[in-house]
Amino acid sequence: MEILVCVKRVPDTEENEICLNGAGNDIECEDLVYSVNEWDNYAVEEAIQIVDRVGGSVTVVTVGDEDAEEVLRREMAMGAEKGILATDDAFEGSDGKGLATILKGVAEKGNYDLIMTGAQADDGAAQVGGMLAALMDLPYASLVNLIEVVDDKKLKVGREIEGGNQEMSEIELPCVLSIQTGINEPRYVGIRGIRKVASVEIPAMGAGDLGVDAGAVGAAGAIVKRADYFVPEMGEGAEMIEGSTEEIVEKLVEILKAKGGIK
Amino acid sequence: MAQIFAYISYKDGVADDAALELATVAKKIDAGADVNAIVVGSGVDAVCNEMAASYKEVWKIDKDTVAYPNAEIIRGMLVNALPKDAIVLMAHDTFSMDLGPGLSIKMDSPYVPDVVGIDGVDGSTLKTVRQEFGGQVSTHVNCDIASGAVITVRPGSFEADESKSAGGSVVDKTADAGDVSVKRTFLEVVEAEAGDVDITKSDVLVSIGRGIEEEENIEVAQELADAMGAVVSCSRPIVDAKWLEKSRQVGTSGQTVKPNVYMAMGISGSFQHLGGIKGGFIIAVNKNPKAPIFQVADIGVVADILEVMPALTEKIQEG
Ligand SMILES: Cc1cc2nc3c(=O)[nH]c(=O)nc-3n(C[C@H](O)[C@H](O)[C@H](O)COP(=O)(O)OP(=O)(O)OC[C@H]3O[C@@H](n4cnc5c(N)ncnc54)[C@H](O)[C@@H]3O)c2cc1C
Ligand SMILES: Nc1ncnc2c1ncn2[C@@H]1O[C@H](COP(=O)(O)O)[C@@H](O)[C@H]1O
């Protein structure tokens, strides 16, 4: 099975607080630590496991600037065979549809049986996978937390729905799936693994290479536009307890007793 | 302005809570609009009649093939039945995440997902409020809705419109929806497994999130829970890591809990997590003073849970 997995480089919210810049209209990017979008790691792991079972190869692609190459190497260290960096000044400022249009260009350069994305990324849009499928006229399932290869024409997939219930379906190949966390346990990659793939050639492809109309993507083609970032006025908010650990704990015991939190 | 349609999801013949929240959103987009609803399924008369109190026209698509809401089929039906420039509103949930992005492409209209606020309309530019990075920052997102739009709305972000004064009627659009064949076939729904503890039955929960850092530290939370007479629950990443079983997960894709006291320990407060907490006194401990959980908690402490939890356990044991 030939599998394409779309991965995105995002600020790592475990490593940093997201802060606004001095003007208060954009996020402060200076000291941010970046990593691969959490959901995408699960997608790559799943792709590798499928290929281990039925053969084939895994290609990872990202749309971004040259800094985004590092996430491709990380996923290649996990076991993806090939990487593609879709990069072009014209891609900057793309909205969801723009990204899906670029990824369609990438997908059509290959011959993939299965295309995977993460369920969502840092902006919580959860849109690129579904848009890509619709643009390519392929069947789609989102929030997938189980994949069984039935034969070379179809998969059995589980979608995670409300309450943790699972919606089972059969889906024809080729198709697009967005992957939910928890579907597997992504393998650990150490510095060593990344070093091993440090010199692997990663082709960079621009609008021309991909047959993408530069005017339809990027800021020029975006129809949904983020105007600014801001931190909303906090409502009432929590009553904050301060002090030494001893003082905090004393106060907490008092509150817990009053609220029936200690039996 | 284009016609607005609220897509109504329902369970067991009763519309979801979000159904009336969408009516509020519609009025914020166009105060003067006659807002319509669309209901798709098999045997949906009861839901349609219920919605006619709140929507001007209720478009009904009633067909066996969508007895289970297969988003791929419903997408095709909506494209066939809706006017090209329709503004479609849906609750942001696992169904609209499946349907919405593709629908926007097929209707050739902008997609604005997970909206938490509407800041008005300027000409034909809709101004919305969204959140990013798990609620750490907000954004204004604008788009031109003159040729339609697909907008999903975070459940619970808008008041329900309880006026029920639309005096609407049900219109059967099944014929317009046509026959749609797709390459994804629904098989069955597998219910989540019950675990060895039922967190929904506990009055007091010590709930841990990614801030617990390591599997070994779960013991620290368990000791605190034991001292308090509470039960340990958790956020999703703890279950994804297989440190606790799925039945202990609080949130939209886990359990819905209603304890007297909820201790959120190292939990950031994403909306999917908060969606599973339906009341109770919330005490949050988090080392990030800007964690969104502090906006909803009653009591907040900026501290390391790995210091606070053992100290608290000790204090309680002292009596
Ligand atoms: C369709 C869908 C459904 C979902 N369903 C659910 C669901 O049902 N339940 C759920 O929980 N999530 C769910 N999620 C995931 C959700 O979006 C968040 O990713 C998740 O809730 C984050 O969990 P968290 O708060 O534990 O982790 P994080 O967001 O990583 O937060 C960890 C917090 O711990 C703090 N911290 C770190 N170390 C310490 C320390 N030593 N002391 C004190 N504080 C510390 C950090 O400051 C941070 O605020 C769902 C997502 C999707 C897409
Ligand atoms: N710049 C990008 N490059 C490659 N894939 C992306 C990019 N942005 C989003 N995706 C994919 O789309 C998924 C959903 O992202 P989003 O729709 O932005 O929430 C991600 O998990 C990725 O798989």
Side-chain angles (χ1 to χ4, degrees):
Chain A
M1 181 134 12
E2 294 303 310
I3 307 178
L4 178 68
V5 188
C6 307
V7 301
K8 185 180 183 189
R9 178 175 180 263
V10 300
D12 186 337
T13 51
E14 264 179 82
E15 297 294 328
N16 19 227
E17 291 168 25
I18 306 296
C19 299
L20 295 190
N21 63 2
N25 58 5
D26 202 352
I27 53 174
E28 179 63 64
C29 297
E30 291 264 296
D31 300 321
L32 288 181
V33 177
Y34 288 83
S35 60
V36 65
N37 178 36
E38 184 180 358
W39 280 265
D40 304 348
N41 255 340
Y42 287 88
V44 171
E45 176 65 39
E46 193 63 20
I48 294 168
Q49 291 188 15
I50 292 172
V51 165
D52 283 347
R53 291 200 297 273
V54 304
S57 77
V58 180
T59 303
V60 286
V61 58
T62 192
V63 182
D65 54 21
E66 64 235 25
D67 290 337
E69 203 189 271
E70 70 185 23
V71 299
L72 294 176
R73 291 214 191 270
R74 192 197 172 281
E75 305 306 283
M76 289 166 78
M78 281 175 79
E81 210 170 287
K82 284 169 267 181
I84 299 171
L85 176 65
T87 190
D88 197 310
D89 289 345
F91 294 168
E92 255 171 66
S94 291
D95 62 5
K97 186 179 180 185
L99 284 168
T101 303
I102 298 161
L103 290 167
K104 174 178 186 248
V106 173
E108 286 175 349
K109 284 271 149 190
N111 200 355
Y112 301 102
D113 306 294
L114 175 58
I115 300 170
M116 291 194 216
T117 69
Q120 67 174 36
D122 49 342
D123 51 5
Q127 63 188 357
V128 170
M131 290 179 168
L132 175 61
L135 286 172
M136 296 184 72
D137 275 320
L138 294 178
Y140 176 62
S142 63
L143 296 164
V144 168
N145 66 355
L146 178 109
I147 302 178
E148 275 172 35
V149 179
V150 177
D151 54 38
D152 57 3
K153 299 221 165 40
K154 49 178 189 296
L155 305 176
K156 187 173 172 182
V157 295
R159 290 186 62 234
E160 188 186 75
I161 54 174
E162 270 70 23
N165 295 338
Q166 192 179 39
E167 174 190 305
M168 301 300 303
S169 300
E170 237 168 34
I171 189 163
E172 287 177 32
L173 294 168
C175 68
V176 180
L177 304 177
S178 90
I179 303 299
Q180 174 64 310
T181 58
I183 185 173
N184 53 42
E185 291 176 74
R187 67 197 66 191
Y188 175 78
V189 265
I191 302 281
R192 270 243 213 98
I194 294 181
R195 255 191 231 130
K196 264 197 196 151
V197 295
S199 57
V200 180
E201 191 74 28
I202 294 180
M205 301 178 106
D209 308 310
L210 296 172
V212 168
D213 171 6
V217 298
I223 41 176
V224 180
K225 298 188 185 101
R226 183 198 295 120
D228 62 1
Y229 282 96
F230 66 101
V231 176
E233 287 290 312
M234 270 239 233
E236 284 271 296
E239 179 194 325
M240 303 304 285
I241 303 179
E242 284 157 21
S244 65
T245 304
E246 177 64 19
E247 288 163 348
I248 288 170
V249 162
E250 220 161 275
K251 191 87 214 271
L252 283 179
V253 169
E254 216 174 277
I255 294 166
L256 283 170
K257 279 188 178 150
K259 295 289 170 187
I262 299 177
K263 288 185 196 153
Chain B
M1 178 147 347
Q3 273 180 294
I4 303 179
F5 288 85
Y7 186 96
I8 308 298
S9 287
Y10 57 89
K11 233 171 262 108
D12 305 324
V14 180
D16 288 359
D17 289 347
L20 300 184
E21 296 169 14
L22 297 178
T24 304
V25 176
K27 292 286 178 213
K28 282 186 184 267
I29 294 174
D30 185 353
D34 281 337
V35 186
N36 306 322
I38 186 155
V39 182
V40 184
S42 170
V44 291
D45 285 340
V47 184
C48 289
N49 292 334
E50 181 193 347
M51 285 301 112
S54 302
Y55 291 96
K56 196 71 198 162
E57 275 187 12
V58 180
W59 287 23
K60 171 174 96 166
I61 298 176
D62 201 329
K63 229 172 167 144
D64 288 348
T65 52
V66 281
Y68 185 84
N70 179 334
E72 296 275 288
I73 301 177
I74 292 175
R75 186 182 84 194
M77 290 179 156
L78 293 182
V79 172
N80 290 341
L82 288 172
K84 194 88 192 69
D85 62 351
I87 295 171
V88 184
L89 305 179
M90 285 187 277
H92 186 71
D93 55 21
T94 62
F95 173 70
S96 69
M97 285 165 94
D98 216 32
L99 171 65
L103 180 65
S104 77
I105 293 292
K106 293 301 180 192
M107 302 207 38
D108 201 14
S109 50
Y111 182 57
V112 195
D114 194 19
V115 167
V116 299
I118 300 282
D119 249 10
V121 181
D122 186 358
S124 63
T125 302
L126 174 69
K127 300 179 165 181
T128 69
V129 179
R130 298 190 69 253
Q131 294 184 339
E132 297 193 7
F133 302 106
Q136 290 194 53
V137 288
S138 296
T139 64
H140 288 108
V141 171
N142 303 335
C143 76
D144 189 326
I145 55 172
S147 61
V150 177
I151 299 165
T152 73
V153 178
R154 182 177 298 181
S157 295
F158 295 84
E159 294 284 323
D161 179 352
E162 303 279 3
S163 58
K164 304 209 162 104
S165 55
S169 54
V170 179
V171 186
D172 194 332
K173 294 281 180 177
T174 308
D176 292 352
D179 284 315
V180 176
S181 72
V182 296
K183 293 177 173 165
R184 183 179 121 193
T185 317
F186 168 72
L187 301 172
E188 59 171 337
V189 169
V190 181
E191 304 270 331
E193 274 171 42
D196 55 5
V197 279
D198 186 352
I199 60 169
T200 66
K201 297 257 154 61
S202 180
D203 289 340
V204 189
L205 291 171
V206 173
S207 207
I208 51 173
R210 188 135 48 194
I212 198 78
E213 289 172 13
E214 282 173 41
E215 187 170 11
E216 292 74 56
N217 295 335
I218 288 179
E219 228 176 275
V220 181
Q222 186 61 55
E223 280 160 13
L224 173 60
D226 290 344
M228 292 169 61
V231 162
V232 173
S233 59
C234 64
S235 68
R236 182 177 179 111
I238 305 302
V239 173
D240 286 342
K242 311 256 179 336
W243 293 351
L244 287 175
E245 55 181 3
K246 180 86 182 169
S247 60
R248 296 212 189 220
Q249 179 189 318
V250 174
T252 54
S253 61
Q255 306 290 326
T256 301
V257 298
K258 220 172 163 178
N260 293 332
V261 176
Y262 188 83
M263 302 269 283
M265 311 303 276
I267 291 175
S268 63
S270 70
F271 87 91
Q272 289 105 342
H273 185 77
L274 300 176
I277 310 173
K278 293 288 180 224
F281 191 82
I282 301 179
I283 300 175
V285 183
N286 195 303
K287 66 180 184 187
N288 178 1
K290 292 193 199 128
I293 188 78
F294 290 132
Q295 291 172 32
V296 295
D298 297 283
I299 296 288
V301 182
V302 179
D304 186 338
I305 57 170
L306 297 173
E307 278 172 27
V308 170
M309 289 199 296
L312 187 54
T313 307
E314 212 172 294
K315 188 87 198 165
I316 294 169
Q317 284 166 345
E318 280 169 18

